[in-house]
Coordinates of all heavy atoms in Angstrom, one line a residue:
M25 N 0.8 -1.2 0.0 CA 0.0 0.0 0.0 C 0.9 1.3 0.0 O 0.6 2.2 -0.7 CB -0.9 -0.1 1.2 CG -1.9 1.1 1.3 SD -3.1 0.9 0.0 CE -4.4 1.8 0.7
R26 N 1.9 1.3 0.8 CA 2.8 2.4 0.9 C 3.6 2.6 -0.4 O 3.8 3.7 -0.9 CB 3.8 2.3 2.1 CG 3.1 2.4 3.4 CD 4.1 2.2 4.5 NE 4.4 3.5 5.1 CZ 5.3 3.7 6.0 NH1 5.9 2.7 6.5 NH2 5.5 4.9 6.5
A27 N 3.9 1.5 -1.0 CA 4.7 1.6 -2.3 C 3.8 2.1 -3.4 O 4.3 2.9 -4.2 CB 5.2 0.2 -2.6
T28 N 2.5 1.7 -3.4 CA 1.6 2.2 -4.4 C 1.4 3.7 -4.2 O 1.4 4.5 -5.2 CB 0.3 1.5 -4.3 OG1 0.5 0.1 -4.4 CG2 -0.7 2.0 -5.4
A29 N 1.2 4.2 -3.0 CA 1.1 5.6 -2.7 C 2.3 6.4 -3.1 O 2.2 7.5 -3.7 CB 0.7 5.8 -1.3
F30 N 3.5 5.8 -2.9 CA 4.7 6.5 -3.2 C 4.9 6.6 -4.7 O 5.2 7.7 -5.3 CB 5.9 5.7 -2.7 CG 7.2 6.3 -3.1 CD1 7.7 7.4 -2.5 CD2 8.0 5.7 -4.1 CE1 8.9 8.0 -2.9 CE2 9.2 6.2 -4.5 CZ 9.7 7.3 -3.9
V31 N 4.5 5.5 -5.5 CA 4.6 5.6 -6.9 C 3.6 6.6 -7.5 O 4.0 7.3 -8.4 CB 4.4 4.1 -7.5 CG1 4.2 4.2 -9.0 CG2 5.5 3.2 -7.1
L32 N 2.4 6.6 -7.0 CA 1.4 7.6 -7.4 C 1.9 9.0 -7.2 O 1.8 9.9 -8.1 CB 0.1 7.3 -6.8 CG -0.7 6.1 -7.3 CD1 -1.9 5.9 -6.5 CD2 -1.0 6.2 -8.8
L33 N 2.4 9.3 -6.0 CA 2.9 10.6 -5.7 C 4.1 11.0 -6.6 O 4.2 12.1 -7.1 CB 3.4 10.7 -4.2 CG 2.2 11.0 -3.3 CD1 2.7 10.9 -1.8 CD2 1.6 12.4 -3.5
L34 N 5.0 10.1 -6.8 CA 6.1 10.3 -7.7 C 5.7 10.6 -9.1 O 6.2 11.5 -9.8 CB 7.1 9.1 -7.7 CG 8.3 9.2 -8.5 CD1 9.2 10.4 -8.1 CD2 9.1 7.9 -8.5
A35 N 4.7 9.8 -9.6 CA 4.2 10.0 -11.0 C 3.5 11.4 -11.1 O 3.7 12.1 -12.1 CB 3.2 8.9 -11.3
L36 N 2.8 11.8 -10.0 CA 2.1 13.1 -10.0 C 3.2 14.2 -10.0 O 3.1 15.2 -10.8 CB 1.2 13.3 -8.8 CG 0.5 14.6 -8.7 CD1 -0.4 14.8 -9.9 CD2 -0.3 14.6 -7.4
A37 N 4.2 14.1 -9.2 CA 5.3 15.1 -9.2 C 6.0 15.2 -10.5 O 6.3 16.3 -11.0 CB 6.3 14.8 -8.1
L38 N 6.3 14.1 -11.2 CA 7.0 14.1 -12.5 C 6.1 14.7 -13.5 O 6.6 15.4 -14.4 CB 7.4 12.7 -12.8 CG 8.6 12.1 -12.0 CD1 8.9 10.7 -12.4 CD2 9.9 13.0 -12.2
A39 N 4.8 14.4 -13.5 CA 3.9 14.9 -14.5 C 3.8 16.4 -14.4 O 3.6 17.1 -15.3 CB 2.5 14.3 -14.3
T40 N 3.8 16.9 -13.1 CA 3.8 18.4 -12.9 C 5.1 19.1 -13.4 O 5.0 20.1 -14.0 CB 3.5 18.7 -11.4 OG1 2.4 18.0 -11.0 CG2 3.4 20.1 -11.2
I41 N 6.2 18.5 -13.1 CA 7.5 19.1 -13.4 C 7.7 19.0 -14.9 O 8.1 20.0 -15.6 CB 8.6 18.3 -12.7 CG1 8.5 18.6 -11.2 CG2 10.0 18.8 -13.2 CD1 9.5 17.8 -10.4
F42 N 7.4 17.9 -15.5 CA 7.7 17.7 -17.0 C 6.4 17.7 -17.8 O 6.1 16.7 -18.5 CB 8.4 16.4 -17.2 CG 9.8 16.3 -16.5 CD1 10.0 15.5 -15.4 CD2 10.8 17.1 -17.0 CE1 11.2 15.5 -14.7 CE2 12.0 17.1 -16.3 CZ 12.2 16.3 -15.2
N43 N 5.6 18.7 -17.7 CA 4.4 18.8 -18.4 C 4.6 19.0 -19.9 O 5.1 20.0 -20.4 CB 3.5 20.0 -17.9 CG 2.2 20.0 -18.5 OD1 1.9 19.4 -19.5 ND2 1.3 20.8 -17.8
A44 N 4.4 17.9 -20.6 CA 4.8 17.9 -22.0 C 4.0 18.9 -22.8 O 4.5 19.4 -23.8 CB 4.5 16.4 -22.6
E45 N 2.8 19.1 -22.5 CA 1.9 20.1 -23.2 C 2.5 21.5 -23.1 O 2.6 22.2 -24.1 CB 0.5 20.1 -22.7 CG -0.4 20.9 -23.5 CD -1.8 20.9 -23.1 OE1 -2.2 20.0 -22.3 OE2 -2.6 21.7 -23.6
C46 N 3.0 21.9 -22.0 CA 3.6 23.2 -21.8 C 4.9 23.3 -22.6 O 5.1 24.4 -23.2 CB 3.9 23.5 -20.3 SG 2.5 23.8 -19.3
V47 N 5.7 22.3 -22.7 CA 6.9 22.3 -23.4 C 6.6 22.4 -24.9 O 7.2 23.2 -25.7 CB 7.7 21.1 -23.2 CG1 8.9 21.0 -24.1 CG2 8.2 21.1 -21.7
Q48 N 5.6 21.7 -25.4 CA 5.2 21.7 -26.8 C 4.7 23.1 -27.2 O 4.9 23.5 -28.3 CB 4.0 20.7 -27.0 CG 3.5 20.6 -28.4 CD 2.3 19.7 -28.5 OE1 1.8 19.2 -27.5 NE2 2.0 19.4 -29.7
Q49 N 4.0 23.8 -26.3 CA 3.4 25.1 -26.7 C 4.4 26.2 -26.7 O 4.0 27.4 -27.0 CB 2.3 25.4 -25.7 CG 1.1 24.5 -25.8 CD 0.0 24.9 -24.9 OE1 0.1 25.7 -24.0 NE2 -1.2 24.4 -25.1
R50 N 5.7 26.0 -26.6 CA 6.7 27.1 -26.6 C 7.0 27.5 -28.1 O 7.6 28.5 -28.3 CB 8.0 26.7 -25.9 CG 7.8 26.4 -24.5 CD 7.4 27.7 -23.8 NE 7.1 27.5 -22.4 CZ 6.2 28.1 -21.7 NH1 5.4 28.9 -22.3 NH2 6.0 27.8 -20.4
R51 N 6.5 26.7 -29.0 CA 6.7 27.1 -30.4 C 5.8 28.3 -30.8 O 4.8 28.4 -30.2 CB 6.5 25.9 -31.3 CG 5.0 25.5 -31.3 CD 4.7 24.3 -32.2 NE 3.4 23.8 -32.0 CZ 2.3 24.4 -32.3 NH1 2.3 25.6 -32.8 NH2 1.1 23.8 -32.1
P52 N 6.3 29.1 -31.8 CA 5.4 30.2 -32.2 C 4.2 29.7 -33.0 O 4.2 28.6 -33.5 CB 6.3 31.0 -33.1 CG 7.4 30.1 -33.5 CD 7.5 29.0 -32.5
V53 N 3.2 30.6 -33.0 CA 2.0 30.2 -33.7 C 2.3 30.5 -35.2 O 2.7 31.5 -35.6 CB 0.8 31.1 -33.3 CG1 -0.4 30.9 -34.2 CG2 0.4 30.8 -31.8
N54 N 2.0 29.5 -36.0 CA 2.3 29.6 -37.5 C 0.9 29.5 -38.2 O 0.3 28.5 -38.4 CB 3.2 28.4 -37.9 CG 3.5 28.5 -39.4 OD1 3.1 29.4 -40.1 ND2 4.2 27.5 -39.9
C55 N 0.5 30.7 -38.7 CA -0.8 30.8 -39.3 C -0.8 30.5 -40.8 O -1.8 30.5 -41.5 CB -1.5 32.1 -39.1 SG -2.0 32.4 -37.4
S56 N 0.4 30.2 -41.3 CA 0.5 29.9 -42.8 C -0.1 28.6 -43.2 O -0.4 28.3 -44.3 CB 2.0 29.9 -43.2 OG 2.7 28.8 -42.6
N57 N -0.4 27.7 -42.2 CA -1.1 26.5 -42.4 C -2.6 26.6 -42.6 O -3.3 25.7 -43.1 CB -0.8 25.5 -41.3 CG 0.6 25.1 -41.1 OD1 1.4 25.1 -42.1 ND2 1.0 24.9 -39.9
Y58 N -3.1 27.8 -42.3 CA -4.5 28.0 -42.4 C -4.9 29.0 -43.5 O -4.9 30.2 -43.3 CB -5.0 28.6 -41.0 CG -4.7 27.6 -39.9 CD1 -3.6 27.8 -39.1 CD2 -5.5 26.5 -39.6 CE1 -3.3 26.9 -38.1 CE2 -5.2 25.6 -38.6 CZ -4.1 25.9 -37.8 OH -3.8 25.0 -36.8
K59 N -5.0 28.4 -44.7 CA -5.3 29.2 -45.9 C -6.8 29.6 -45.9 O -7.7 28.9 -45.4 CB -5.0 28.5 -47.1 CG -3.5 27.9 -47.1 CD -2.5 29.0 -47.3 CE -1.1 28.4 -47.4 NZ -0.1 29.3 -47.1
K60 N -7.1 30.7 -46.6 CA -8.5 31.1 -46.8 C -9.1 30.1 -47.7 O -8.6 29.8 -48.8 CB -8.5 32.5 -47.4 CG -9.9 33.1 -47.6 CD -9.8 34.5 -48.1 CE -11.2 35.1 -48.2 NZ -11.2 36.5 -48.6
P61 N -10.3 29.6 -47.4 CA -11.0 28.7 -48.2 C -11.6 29.3 -49.5 O -11.7 30.5 -49.5 CB -12.2 28.2 -47.3 CG -12.4 29.3 -46.4 CD -11.1 29.9 -46.2
P62 N -11.8 28.5 -50.5 CA -12.4 29.1 -51.7 C -13.7 29.7 -51.5 O -14.4 29.3 -50.5 CB -12.5 27.8 -52.6 CG -11.7 26.8 -52.0 CD -11.6 27.1 -50.6
P63 N -14.2 30.6 -52.3 CA -15.5 31.2 -52.1 C -16.6 30.2 -52.0 O -16.6 29.2 -52.8 CB -15.7 32.1 -53.4 CG -14.3 32.4 -53.9 CD -13.5 31.1 -53.5
G64 N -17.5 30.4 -51.1 CA -18.6 29.5 -50.9 C -18.3 28.3 -50.0 O -19.2 27.6 -49.6
K65 N -17.1 28.1 -49.6 CA -16.7 27.1 -48.7 C -16.5 27.6 -47.3 O -16.0 28.7 -47.1 CB -15.4 26.4 -49.1 CG -15.4 25.7 -50.4 CD -16.2 24.4 -50.3 CE -16.1 23.7 -51.7 NZ -16.8 22.5 -51.6
A66 N -17.0 26.9 -46.3 CA -16.9 27.3 -44.9 C -15.5 27.0 -44.3 O -14.9 26.1 -44.7 CB -18.0 26.6 -44.1
E67 N -15.1 27.8 -43.4 CA -13.9 27.6 -42.6 C -14.2 26.5 -41.5 O -15.2 26.7 -40.8 CB -13.3 28.8 -42.0 CG -12.9 29.8 -43.1 CD -12.4 31.1 -42.6 OE1 -13.2 31.8 -41.9 OE2 -11.2 31.4 -42.9
V68 N -13.4 25.5 -41.4 CA -13.6 24.5 -40.5 C -12.4 24.3 -39.6 O -11.3 24.2 -40.1 CB -13.9 23.1 -41.2 CG1 -14.1 22.0 -40.2 CG2 -15.1 23.3 -42.1
C69 N -12.6 24.2 -38.3 CA -11.6 24.0 -37.3 C -11.9 22.8 -36.5 O -13.1 22.5 -36.2 CB -11.4 25.2 -36.4 SG -10.8 26.7 -37.2
M70 N -10.9 22.1 -36.0 CA -11.1 20.9 -35.1 C -11.6 21.5 -33.8 O -11.3 22.6 -33.4 CB -9.8 20.2 -34.9 CG -9.3 19.6 -36.2 SD -10.2 18.2 -36.8 CE -9.8 17.0 -35.6
A71 N -12.4 20.6 -33.1 CA -13.0 21.0 -31.8 C -12.0 20.6 -30.7 O -12.4 19.9 -29.8 CB -14.3 20.4 -31.6
V72 N -10.8 21.0 -30.8 CA -9.8 20.7 -29.7 C -9.5 22.0 -29.0 O -9.3 23.0 -29.6 CB -8.4 20.2 -30.4 CG1 -7.4 20.0 -29.4 CG2 -8.7 19.0 -31.2
Y73 N -9.6 21.9 -27.6 CA -9.4 23.1 -26.8 C -8.0 23.2 -26.4 O -7.5 22.5 -25.5 CB -10.4 23.1 -25.6 CG -10.4 24.4 -24.8 CD1 -10.9 25.5 -25.4 CD2 -9.8 24.4 -23.6 CE1 -10.9 26.7 -24.7 CE2 -9.8 25.6 -22.9 CZ -10.4 26.8 -23.4 OH -10.4 27.9 -22.7
R74 N -7.3 24.1 -27.0 CA -5.9 24.5 -26.7 C -5.9 26.1 -26.8 O -5.5 26.6 -27.8 CB -4.9 23.9 -27.6 CG -4.7 22.4 -27.4 CD -3.5 21.9 -28.1 NE -3.5 20.5 -27.9 CZ -3.5 19.6 -28.9 NH1 -3.6 20.0 -30.1 NH2 -3.5 18.3 -28.6
P75 N -6.3 26.7 -25.7 CA -6.6 28.2 -25.8 C -5.4 29.0 -26.1 O -4.3 28.7 -25.7 CB -7.2 28.5 -24.4 CG -6.7 27.4 -23.5 CD -6.6 26.2 -24.4
I76 N -5.6 30.1 -26.9 CA -4.6 31.1 -27.2 C -5.2 32.5 -26.9 O -6.4 32.7 -27.3 CB -4.2 31.0 -28.7 CG1 -3.5 29.7 -29.0 CG2 -3.4 32.2 -29.1 CD1 -3.1 29.5 -30.4
C77 N -4.4 33.3 -26.3 CA -4.9 34.7 -26.0 C -4.4 35.6 -27.1 O -3.2 35.6 -27.4 CB -4.4 35.1 -24.6 SG -4.9 36.8 -24.2
G78 N -5.3 36.4 -27.7 CA -4.9 37.3 -28.7 C -4.7 38.7 -28.1 O -5.0 39.0 -26.9
S79 N -4.1 39.6 -28.9 CA -3.8 40.9 -28.5 C -5.0 41.7 -28.2 O -5.0 42.8 -27.6 CB -2.9 41.7 -29.5 OG -3.5 41.7 -30.7
D80 N -6.2 41.2 -28.6 CA -7.5 41.9 -28.4 C -8.1 41.4 -27.0 O -9.2 41.7 -26.7 CB -8.4 41.6 -29.5 CG -8.7 40.1 -29.7 OD1 -8.0 39.3 -29.1 OD2 -9.5 39.8 -30.6
S81 N -7.3 40.7 -26.2 CA -7.7 40.1 -24.9 C -8.9 39.1 -25.0 O -9.6 38.9 -24.1 CB -8.1 41.2 -24.0 OG -7.0 42.0 -23.7
K82 N -9.0 38.5 -26.2 CA -10.0 37.5 -26.4 C -9.3 36.1 -26.4 O -8.2 36.0 -26.9 CB -10.8 37.6 -27.7 CG -11.7 38.8 -27.7 CD -12.5 38.9 -29.0 CE -13.4 40.1 -29.0 NZ -14.1 40.2 -30.3
T83 N -10.0 35.1 -25.8 CA -9.4 33.8 -25.8 C -10.0 33.0 -27.0 O -11.2 33.0 -27.2 CB -9.8 33.0 -24.5 OG1 -9.3 33.7 -23.4 CG2 -9.2 31.6 -24.5
Y84 N -9.1 32.5 -27.8 CA -9.5 31.7 -29.0 C -9.3 30.2 -28.6 O -8.3 29.8 -28.0 CB -8.7 32.1 -30.2 CG -8.9 33.5 -30.6 CD1 -8.2 34.5 -30.1 CD2 -10.0 33.8 -31.4 CE1 -8.5 35.9 -30.4 CE2 -10.3 35.1 -31.8 CZ -9.5 36.1 -31.2 OH -9.8 37.4 -31.5
S85 N -10.3 29.4 -29.0 CA -10.3 27.9 -28.6 C -9.0 27.2 -29.0 O -8.6 26.3 -28.3 CB -11.5 27.2 -29.2 OG -12.7 27.8 -28.7
N86 N -8.5 27.5 -30.2 CA -7.2 26.9 -30.6 C -6.6 27.7 -31.7 O -7.0 28.8 -32.0 CB -7.5 25.4 -31.1 CG -8.5 25.3 -32.2 OD1 -8.5 26.1 -33.1 ND2 -9.4 24.4 -32.1
E87 N -5.5 27.2 -32.2 CA -4.7 27.9 -33.2 C -5.5 28.2 -34.4 O -5.3 29.3 -35.0 CB -3.4 27.1 -33.5 CG -2.4 27.8 -34.3 CD -1.1 26.9 -34.4 OE1 -0.4 26.9 -33.5 OE2 -0.9 26.3 -35.5
C88 N -6.3 27.3 -34.9 CA -7.1 27.5 -36.1 C -8.0 28.7 -35.9 O -8.1 29.6 -36.8 CB -7.9 26.2 -36.4 SG -9.0 26.3 -37.8
F89 N -8.8 28.8 -34.9 CA -9.7 29.9 -34.6 C -8.9 31.2 -34.5 O -9.4 32.2 -35.0 CB -10.6 29.7 -33.4 CG -11.6 28.6 -33.6 CD1 -11.5 27.4 -33.0 CD2 -12.7 28.8 -34.4 CE1 -12.5 26.4 -33.2 CE2 -13.7 27.8 -34.6 CZ -13.5 26.6 -34.0
F90 N -7.8 31.1 -33.8 CA -6.9 32.3 -33.7 C -6.5 32.8 -35.1 O -6.5 34.0 -35.4 CB -5.7 32.0 -32.8 CG -4.7 33.1 -32.7 CD1 -5.0 34.3 -32.0 CD2 -3.5 33.1 -33.4 CE1 -4.1 35.3 -32.0 CE2 -2.6 34.1 -33.4 CZ -2.9 35.2 -32.7
C91 N -6.0 31.9 -35.9 CA -5.5 32.3 -37.2 C -6.6 32.8 -38.2 O -6.3 33.7 -39.0 CB -4.7 31.1 -37.9 SG -3.2 30.7 -37.0
I92 N -7.8 32.3 -38.0 CA -8.9 32.8 -38.8 C -9.1 34.3 -38.4 O -9.3 35.2 -39.2 CB -10.2 32.0 -38.6 CG1 -10.0 30.6 -39.4 CG2 -11.4 32.7 -39.1 CD1 -11.1 29.6 -39.1
A93 N -9.1 34.5 -37.1 CA -9.3 35.9 -36.6 C -8.2 36.8 -37.0 O -8.4 38.0 -37.3 CB -9.4 35.9 -35.0
V94 N -6.9 36.3 -37.1 CA -5.8 37.1 -37.6 C -6.0 37.5 -39.0 O -5.8 38.7 -39.4 CB -4.5 36.3 -37.4 CG1 -3.3 37.0 -38.2 CG2 -4.1 36.1 -36.0
R95 N -6.5 36.6 -39.8 CA -6.7 36.9 -41.2 C -7.9 37.9 -41.4 O -7.8 38.8 -42.2 CB -7.0 35.6 -42.0 CG -7.1 35.8 -43.5 CD -7.3 34.6 -44.3 NE -8.5 33.8 -44.0 CZ -8.5 32.7 -43.4 NH1 -7.4 32.1 -43.1 NH2 -9.7 32.1 -43.1
K96 N -8.9 37.7 -40.6 CA -10.1 38.7 -40.7 C -9.7 40.1 -40.2 O -10.3 41.0 -40.7 CB -11.2 38.1 -39.9 CG -11.9 36.9 -40.5 CD -13.1 36.5 -39.7 CE -13.8 35.3 -40.4 NZ -14.9 34.8 -39.6
S97 N -8.7 40.1 -39.4 CA -8.2 41.5 -38.9 C -7.1 42.1 -39.8 O -6.6 43.1 -39.4 CB -7.7 41.4 -37.4 OG -6.4 40.7 -37.4
N98 N -6.9 41.4 -40.9 CA -5.8 41.8 -41.8 C -4.4 42.0 -41.1 O -3.7 42.9 -41.4 CB -6.2 43.2 -42.5 CG -7.3 43.0 -43.4 OD1 -7.4 42.0 -44.2 ND2 -8.2 44.0 -43.4
G99 N -4.2 41.0 -40.2 CA -2.9 41.0 -39.5 C -2.8 41.9 -38.3 O -1.7 41.9 -37.7
R100 N -3.8 42.6 -38.0 CA -3.7 43.5 -36.8 C -3.7 42.8 -35.5 O -3.1 43.2 -34.5 CB -4.8 44.6 -36.8 CG -4.7 45.6 -37.9 CD -5.7 46.7 -37.8 NE -7.1 46.2 -37.7 CZ -7.8 46.0 -38.8 NH1 -7.4 46.1 -40.0 NH2 -9.1 45.5 -38.7
L101 N -4.4 41.6 -35.5 CA -4.4 40.8 -34.3 C -3.1 40.1 -34.1 O -2.6 39.5 -35.1 CB -5.6 39.8 -34.4 CG -5.7 38.8 -33.2 CD1 -6.0 39.5 -31.9 CD2 -6.8 37.7 -33.5
K102 N -2.6 40.1 -32.9 CA -1.3 39.5 -32.7 C -1.4 38.5 -31.6 O -2.4 38.5 -30.8 CB -0.2 40.5 -32.2 CG 0.0 41.7 -33.2 CD 0.6 41.1 -34.5 CE 0.8 42.3 -35.5 NZ 1.1 41.9 -36.8
F103 N -0.5 37.6 -31.5 CA -0.4 36.6 -30.5 C 0.0 37.2 -29.1 O 1.0 38.0 -29.1 CB 0.6 35.5 -30.9 CG 1.0 34.5 -29.8 CD1 0.1 33.5 -29.5 CD2 2.2 34.7 -29.1 CE1 0.5 32.5 -28.5 CE2 2.5 33.7 -28.1 CZ 1.7 32.7 -27.8
A104 N -0.7 36.9 -28.1 CA -0.3 37.4 -26.7 C 0.4 36.3 -25.9 O 1.5 36.5 -25.5 CB -1.5 38.0 -26.0
H105 N -0.3 35.2 -25.7 CA 0.3 34.1 -25.0 C -0.6 32.8 -25.2 O -1.7 32.9 -25.5 CB 0.6 34.4 -23.5 CG -0.7 34.7 -22.8 ND1 -1.5 33.8 -22.3 CD2 -1.3 35.9 -22.4 CE1 -2.5 34.3 -21.6 NE2 -2.4 35.6 -21.7
F106 N 0.0 31.7 -24.9 CA -0.8 30.5 -24.8 C -1.6 30.4 -23.6 O -1.2 31.0 -22.5 CB 0.1 29.2 -24.9 CG 0.8 29.0 -26.2 CD1 2.1 29.4 -26.4 CD2 0.0 28.5 -27.3 CE1 2.7 29.2 -27.7 CE2 0.6 28.3 -28.5 CZ 2.0 28.7 -28.7
G107 N -2.8 29.9 -23.6 CA -3.7 29.8 -22.5 C -4.7 30.9 -22.6 O -4.8 31.7 -23.5
R108 N -5.6 30.8 -21.6 CA -6.8 31.8 -21.6 C -6.3 33.2 -21.2 O -5.4 33.4 -20.5 CB -7.8 31.3 -20.6 CG -8.4 30.0 -20.9 CD -9.4 29.5 -19.9 NE -10.5 30.5 -19.8 CZ -11.4 30.6 -18.9 NH1 -11.3 29.8 -17.8 NH2 -12.3 31.5 -18.9
C109 N -7.0 34.2 -21.8 CA -6.8 35.5 -21.4 C -7.4 35.8 -20.0 O -8.3 35.2 -19.6 CB -7.5 36.5 -22.4 SG -6.8 36.4 -24.1
L110 N -6.8 36.7 -19.3 CA -7.4 37.1 -18.0 C -8.5 38.0 -18.3 O -8.4 39.0 -18.9 CB -6.3 37.8 -17.2 CG -5.1 37.0 -16.8 CD1 -4.1 37.8 -16.0 CD2 -5.6 35.8 -15.9
E111 N -9.7 37.6 -17.9 CA -10.9 38.3 -18.2 C -11.2 39.2 -17.0 O -11.5 38.7 -15.9 CB -12.1 37.4 -18.5 CG -11.8 36.6 -19.7 CD -12.8 35.5 -20.0 OE1 -13.9 35.6 -19.4 OE2 -12.5 34.6 -20.8
I112 N -11.2 40.5 -17.2 CA -11.5 41.4 -16.1 C -13.0 41.9 -16.3 O -13.3 42.5 -17.3 CB -10.6 42.6 -16.1 CG1 -9.2 42.1 -15.9 CG2 -11.0 43.6 -15.0 CD1 -8.1 43.2 -16.0
M113 N -13.8 41.6 -15.3 CA -15.2 42.0 -15.5 C -15.3 43.5 -15.0 O -14.9 43.9 -13.9 CB -16.1 41.1 -14.6 CG -16.1 39.7 -15.2 SD -17.0 38.5 -14.1 CE -18.5 39.4 -13.9
A114 N -16.0 44.3 -15.8 CA -16.2 45.7 -15.5 C -17.0 45.9 -14.2 O -16.8 46.8 -13.5 CB -16.8 46.4 -16.6
A115 N -17.9 44.9 -14.0 CA -18.7 45.1 -12.8 C -18.0 44.9 -11.5 O -18.3 45.4 -10.5 CB -19.8 44.0 -12.8
S116 N -16.8 44.2 -11.5 CA -16.1 44.0 -10.3 C -15.1 45.1 -10.0 O -14.5 45.1 -9.0 CB -15.3 42.7 -10.4 OG -14.3 42.8 -11.5
L117 N -15.0 46.1 -10.9 CA -14.1 47.2 -10.7 C -14.7 48.3 -9.8 O -15.5 48.7 -9.6 CB -13.7 47.8 -12.0 CG -12.8 46.9 -12.9 CD1 -12.6 47.6 -14.3 CD2 -11.5 46.5 -12.2

């Protein structure tokens, strides 16, 4: 029982220290993979939640949605950071 608890705690500690997703997200956002679809075709993104915060303080569900917004803003929208944006509610001020 003690050995099992030790192994579980060790696995949790290692997972926290070596979070592979955080390491993977250090690469820059590359929107060149998201081309504008032909006229009449809808833009389609996968339903994977990997949030990106844009310079407009909006959280985009993933890189695809962020890149579509970059294209619609004619490049004015910039990458802020990986993860959700901090949302400040006006009512709480």
Side-chain angles (χ1 to χ4, degrees):
M25 184 70 154
R26 291 178 103 180
T28 304
F30 176 76
V31 170
L32 287 174
L33 277 172
L34 181 62
L36 179 62
L38 289 174
T40 302
I41 293 169
F42 299 107
N43 187 343
E45 185 176 351
C46 287
V47 172
Q48 179 186 11
Q49 290 183 349
R50 295 295 177 219
R51 63 178 172 68
V53 174
N54 181 5
C55 289
S56 66
N57 297 329
Y58 302 98
K59 306 290 184 198
K60 186 175 182 179
K65 297 286 183 177
E67 294 178 299
V68 179
C69 292
M70 298 289 287
V72 177
Y73 188 69
R74 290 193 181 117
I76 293 178
C77 180
S79 59
D80 58 354
S81 297
K82 290 184 182 177
T83 301
Y84 296 89
S85 297
N86 58 42
E87 191 172 284
C88 179
F89 289 108
F90 172 75
C91 290
I92 289 171
V94 168
R95 188 175 58 249
K96 288 181 178 179
S97 74
N98 292 320
R100 288 186 308 273
L101 177 63
K102 303 294 181 197
F103 170 80
H105 61 82
F106 288 103
R108 295 179 62 195
C109 296
L110 297 176
E111 298 172 14
I112 300 173
M113 295 175 50
S116 65
L117 296 176

